[in-house]
Amino acid sequence: MADGAGTRAVVLGGSMAGLLAARVLSERFTEVLLVDRDRLTGVATYRPGVPHGRHAHGLVARGHQILEEHFPGLTGNLVAAGVRPGDFNGDIRWLFNGRRIAPSHSGLGCVPATRPVLENQVRLRVQAIPNVRFVEGHDVLGLETTADRSRVTGARVQRHDGGAPAETLDADLVLDTTGRGSRTPLWLEELGYGRPEEERIKIDLAYTTRHYRLRADPFGGDLAIIPAATPRTPRGAFFFPISGGEGLVELSLTGILGDHPPTDPDGFLDFARSLPIPDIHESIKDAEPLDDPVTFKYPASVRRHYERLADFPSGLLVMGDAVCTFNPVYAQGMTVSALGSLVLRRHLERGTEPDARAFFRDLSREIDSPWELAAGSDLGYAGVRGKRSAKVRFVNAYVARLQDAAVNDPTLANAFIRVAGLVDPPASLMLPRHVVRVLRGSRRSPAAHGNHDSSPSAPTERPFDASLPSRVPPGGHRRPEPETGRDPLAR
Ligand SMILES: Cc1cc2nc3c(=O)[nH]c(=O)nc-3n(C[C@H](O)[C@H](O)[C@H](O)COP(=O)(O)OP(=O)(O)OC[C@H]3O[C@@H](n4cnc5c(N)ncnc54)[C@H](O)[C@@H]3O)c2cc1C
């Protein structure tokens, strides 16, 4: 590292986790090489190495905070690229079981960009770091180690077009961010370390996505309409305006346990019609499709427990989806990569080479909450196999009641959005002041299947106006109760 232990870090994989890692490594290493099989620079559209990038990618609030910390002014860059920022609760129409939770100003930012737009803006900022170099269009073939295999000394790479012999990139630290297909488990086995234990939650999920030019504006100033998938209403959607022209939208439909949104246009429309709210189908049925529906299948969430390995070579770390991938409907992956970059920074700040076991232990602690949220919620679906502890059953029942109560309670809506945004820990929902509201509120606001209150409900015939200001003033339509002091509903 620049402060003593070495000079070059090589990052394998230049997607979100790799870019964030490179940002942090650049603070400590003289040189950081970022290797990817795709061409990266100048690419502002979908690329083959990230096929999931064609589908809706929301950056939840904690991820937005960390990205802005790594790249001050990034929100402004995104706005300049045509993205309209807003409030993570007040400006997004979150619907659970067909009903909108109370919109109110949460004070948490959001930037609803498509994945290629977000990644491109982050990449432009990383490209501007003088000691980061992109090694594009190169496949990673394997690791180089010392003769006794105790230390990784670099990576073997080859031009993706095969037009040159393989070469070795020497490194003081190699960081694998090649995503869920990472070959580190295999490489470790070949080196005699054994594979990390894997936890898998099979969900057989699929996203199918299509882009449209709408004729009327269904958003009424909101930044997105998100009927979230829940065990009661397992079909979900992400529907939001995108940059590039008036009326352009991205629509990702999601279906779990083999109930996949079809790719034929009629089937896609039918699936949209079956959502618990009519707004989305009403908007797209007469809209101009801009492409064919494209699907992405996601069989299982996978967590690799590197922290449980008894031994690990020095000079190697792993981050991002290569360690853990989550059911994407909870929109956690990029933010967990961002949290991983903070763990990496803390370990680099010690001024010595990061200790792999300590790094993975800390990374695992960051993953615990989002994994618990995602895997626990998935176990709420009767068809998802896995052990349902009493805690999982209790939390799922409680969260369902909380979502019902949050329809009329901005305080609860914000508390929930802060947890979903990975800003507050899940345990915060169990604070006595929230429990009281949930118990009272869910009695007043029982689950109503088929209640299509997505306010505003039907698409308006209003023409598009990209300059519409946020509809929710700071403090919200219905101002949330203060977070401190006596609960006003408590007797
Ligand atoms: C359908 C879907 C929707 C999602 N929606 C959201 C969302 O709303 N919000 C959210 O936060 N997250 C979402 N995610 C998760 C998110 O995409 C990832 O968590 C995030 O991209 C971080 O991934 P990564 O950088 O670790 O890996 P990836 O994005 O998978 O990138 C891996 C990179 O490594 C490169 N690579 C791989 N193998 C090699 C090799 N051998 N040689 C050279 N290069 C290689 C690839 O080209 C690629 O650039 C979603 C995922 C899916 C599947």
Side-chain angles (χ1 to χ4, degrees), residues 15-17 36-37 47 49 52 56-58 115 140 321 331 333-334:
S15 181
M16 288 303 285
D36 203 285
R37 58 161 63 109
R47 57 187 181 84
H52 42 292
H57 262 70
R115 167 63 192 255
V140 176
D321 279 19
M334 297 189 294

Side-chain angles (χ1 to χ4, degrees), residues 15-16 38 43-58 113-120 123 180 207-211 240 242 250-252 291 294-298 321 328 334:
S15 181
M16 288 303 285
D38 281 353
V43 176
T45 54
Y46 314 111
R47 57 187 181 84
V50 180
H52 42 292
R54 291 185 73 93
H55 304 270
H57 262 70
T114 61
R115 167 63 192 255
V117 167
L118 177 64
E119 187 183 309
N120 185 43
R123 189 168 50 233
R180 59 185 289 126
Y207 273 50
T208 305
T209 296
R210 196 172 201 191
H211 297 89
F240 63 106
I242 56 176
E250 182 162 288
L251 171 60
S252 288
D291 51 13
V294 171
T295 211
F296 186 95
K297 292 188 180 156
Y298 183 93
D321 279 19
M334 297 189 294

Side-chain angles (χ1 to χ4, degrees), residues 32-158:
V32 179
L33 304 187
L34 194 67
V35 187
D36 203 285
R37 58 161 63 109
D38 281 353
R39 196 164 66 77
L40 299 177
T41 50
V43 176
T45 54
Y46 314 111
R47 57 187 181 84
V50 180
H52 42 292
R54 291 185 73 93
H55 304 270
H57 262 70
L59 179 67
V60 299
R62 182 68 187 121
H64 179 235
Q65 291 169 347
I66 299 172
L67 259 59
E68 189 60 39
E69 186 184 322
H70 281 331
F71 310 105
L74 181 73
T75 304
N77 301 147
L78 285 160
V79 171
V83 177
R84 195 158 68 89
D87 186 85
F88 192 55
N89 179 14
D91 293 321
I92 294 192
R93 218 179 291 170
W94 295 103
L95 298 116
F96 295 89
N97 308 309
R99 301 194 303 162
R100 181 178 193 174
I101 59 170
S104 122
H105 186 79
S106 67
L108 302 173
C110 75
V111 274
T114 61
R115 167 63 192 255
V117 167
L118 177 64
E119 187 183 309
N120 185 43
Q121 289 304 322
V122 170
R123 189 168 50 233
L124 286 169
R125 297 295 295 267
V126 174
Q127 273 174 252
I129 303 173
N131 58 338
V132 176
R133 184 155 65 86
F134 283 69
V135 183
E136 309 174 58
H138 278 71
D139 289 324
V140 176
L141 304 179
L143 300 175
E144 290 290 340
T145 66
T146 51
D148 67 357
R149 301 176 166 192
S150 65
R151 176 170 198 89
V152 169
T153 57
R156 253 185 343 279
V157 304
Q158 184 171 30

Side-chain angles (χ1 to χ4, degrees), residues 78-398:
L78 285 160
V79 171
V83 177
R84 195 158 68 89
D87 186 85
F88 192 55
N89 179 14
D91 293 321
I92 294 192
R93 218 179 291 170
W94 295 103
L95 298 116
F96 295 89
N97 308 309
R99 301 194 303 162
R100 181 178 193 174
I101 59 170
S104 122
H105 186 79
S106 67
L108 302 173
C110 75
V111 274
T114 61
R115 167 63 192 255
V117 167
L118 177 64
E119 187 183 309
N120 185 43
Q121 289 304 322
V122 170
R123 189 168 50 233
L124 286 169
R125 297 295 295 267
V126 174
Q127 273 174 252
I129 303 173
N131 58 338
V132 176
R133 184 155 65 86
F134 283 69
V135 183
E136 309 174 58
H138 278 71
D139 289 324
V140 176
L141 304 179
L143 300 175
E144 290 290 340
T145 66
T146 51
D148 67 357
R149 301 176 166 192
S150 65
R151 176 170 198 89
V152 169
T153 57
R156 253 185 343 279
V157 304
Q158 184 171 30
R159 255 177 50 188
H160 186 56
D161 61 14
E167 57 182 308
T168 296
L169 301 175
D170 294 328
D172 301 290
L173 179 67
V174 172
L175 187 72
D176 176 11
T177 52
T178 52
R180 59 185 289 126
S182 155
R183 279 182 290 158
T184 292
L186 175 70
W187 293 333
L188 286 177
E189 191 172 49
E190 287 170 357
L191 291 171
Y193 289 90
R195 288 171 178 258
E197 275 174 44
E198 258 186 24
E199 226 176 314
R200 275 177 184 265
I201 308 277
K202 287 191 190 159
I203 52 173
D204 193 4
L205 178 86
Y207 273 50
T208 305
T209 296
R210 196 172 201 191
H211 297 89
Y212 293 90
R213 188 188 307 278
L214 300 186
R215 299 187 206 287
D217 174 13
F219 296 100
D222 288 332
L223 297 177
I225 300 175
I226 305 180
T230 71
R232 272 187 259 158
T233 56
R235 294 184 167 188
F238 298 88
F239 186 47
F240 63 106
I242 56 176
S243 50
E246 197 171 278
L248 300 189
V249 292
E250 182 162 288
L251 171 60
S252 288
L253 300 175
T254 71
I256 193 167
L257 292 166
D259 177 33
H260 296 169
T263 49
D264 68 285
D266 289 343
F268 187 84
L269 262 184
D270 283 347
F271 196 98
R273 196 192 344 253
S274 73
L275 291 169
I277 55 162
D279 313 36
I280 294 176
H281 176 257
E282 289 296 318
S283 299
I284 60 165
K285 68 180 199 282
D286 299 318
E288 177 194 350
L290 302 177
D291 51 13
D292 290 329
V294 171
T295 211
F296 186 95
K297 292 188 180 156
Y298 183 93
S301 304
V302 179
R303 181 173 183 183
R304 298 187 177 122
H305 287 282
Y306 282 103
E307 77 285 359
R308 294 184 190 163
L309 280 174
D311 203 7
F312 199 84
S314 54
L316 176 67
L317 297 175
V318 192
M319 246 181 65
D321 279 19
V323 175
C324 191
T325 69
F326 306 85
N327 177 342
V329 302
Y330 307 116
Q332 297 175 319
M334 297 189 294
T335 296
V336 173
S337 293
L339 289 165
S341 72
L342 296 185
V343 174
L344 180 64
R345 175 181 277 160
R346 283 202 298 278
H347 281 257
L348 292 171
E349 276 170 357
R350 296 175 185 170
T352 53
E353 181 182 326
D355 172 66
R357 295 195 64 198
F359 170 82
F360 286 125
R361 221 172 21 244
D362 287 351
L363 185 62
S364 174
R365 285 199 193 107
E366 292 292 346
I367 291 172
D368 279 344
S369 269
W371 178 260
E372 196 182 316
L373 273 174
S377 302
D378 286 345
L379 288 170
Y381 291 83
V384 172
R385 284 165 57 188
K387 187 167 172 299
R388 287 157 177 82
S389 62
K391 182 182 169 196
V392 164
R393 287 200 305 273
F394 171 77
V395 169
N396 283 338
Y398 177 76

